[in-house]
């Protein structure tokens, strides 16, 4: 087999299952041994079974965890920027293409969601300005 990594991370909703990849066995088959579960939200690493993770295991897992958290944060920002684009497209649709029945179907939901978002953003902005202003005194 080609150059396989020593570890495989099966991504799950909030983290990954970590497998040690073994190609150096008597049967010359690819084996994957579950060694740990990782939570990307809180950084928790749980060894599986009675397993004791080596320093190398922990280093590899922590490296993957840091890269994964960075990737997820970048995806979050990208999703939000796509939402801004989608809001602009929605405004154009409402102004130029939407029929009365279509507008009736979506207006209340959009107005409530946008009001909620505006409220949160204004509060967060005020909190940031208050902290920044207080730090300059």
């Amino acid at each position: 087999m080609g150059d396989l990594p020593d570890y495989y991370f099966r991504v799950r909703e909030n983290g990954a299952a970590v497998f040690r990849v073994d190609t150096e066995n008597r049967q010359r088959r690819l084996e994957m041994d579950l060694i740990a579960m990782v939570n990307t939200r809180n950084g928790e690493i749980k060894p599986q079974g009675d397993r004791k993770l080596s320093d190398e295991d922990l280093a590899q897992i922590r490296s993957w965890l840091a890269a994964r958290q960075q990737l997820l944060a970048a995806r979050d920002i990208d999703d939000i920027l796509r939402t801004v684009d989608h809001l602009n497209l929605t405004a154009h649709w409402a102004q130029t293409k939407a029929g009365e029945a279509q507008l009736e179907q979506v207006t209340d939901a959009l107005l409530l969601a946008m009001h909620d978002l505006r409220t949160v953003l204004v509060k967060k902005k005020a909190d940031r300005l208050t902290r920044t202003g207080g730090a300059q005194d």
Side-chain angles (χ1 to χ4, degrees):
M1 295 189 191
D3 291 335
L4 293 176
D6 293 331
Y7 297 88
Y8 173 71
F9 296 83
R10 181 193 299 153
V11 176
R12 302 175 345 131
E13 181 74 25
N14 294 321
V18 183
F19 295 86
R20 187 178 296 118
V21 177
D22 179 18
T23 57
E24 303 294 324
N25 55 62
R26 288 185 292 172
Q27 295 84 15
R28 301 186 66 106
R29 293 187 337 207
L30 176 64
E31 292 182 6
M32 295 186 351
D33 184 25
L34 178 63
I35 63 169
M37 300 301 281
V38 181
N39 185 315
T40 52
R41 290 192 179 163
N42 63 18
E44 185 176 33
I45 300 169
K46 289 184 180 178
Q48 292 300 289
D50 294 332
R51 184 169 315 279
K52 192 90 160 118
L53 298 175
S54 70
D55 290 342
E56 176 65 16
D57 293 337
L58 289 171
Q60 291 291 328
I61 293 169
R62 287 184 181 123
S63 176
W64 177 87
L65 179 60
R68 183 69 180 174
Q69 288 171 329
Q70 187 176 9
L71 174 66
L72 293 173
R75 284 182 181 171
D76 282 347
I77 294 299
D78 187 54
D79 286 347
I80 299 305
L81 293 173
R82 287 174 195 248
T83 298
V84 171
D85 287 349
H86 204 82
L87 283 169
N88 285 314
L89 293 170
T90 301
H92 180 71
W93 169 82
Q95 188 174 37
T96 63
K97 298 178 184 174
E100 286 185 30
Q102 291 171 313
L103 287 171
E104 188 62 36
Q105 187 177 0
V106 300
T107 297
D108 289 344
L110 280 169
L111 287 172
L112 288 169
M114 290 186 311
H115 175 74
D116 182 35
L117 177 60
R118 183 182 186 283
T119 300
V120 169
L121 291 175
V122 167
K123 182 178 180 342
K124 293 286 191 172
K125 177 87 174 194
D127 290 347
R128 286 193 313 274
L129 291 173
T130 301
R131 280 194 311 270
T132 303
Q136 293 176 355
D137 291 336

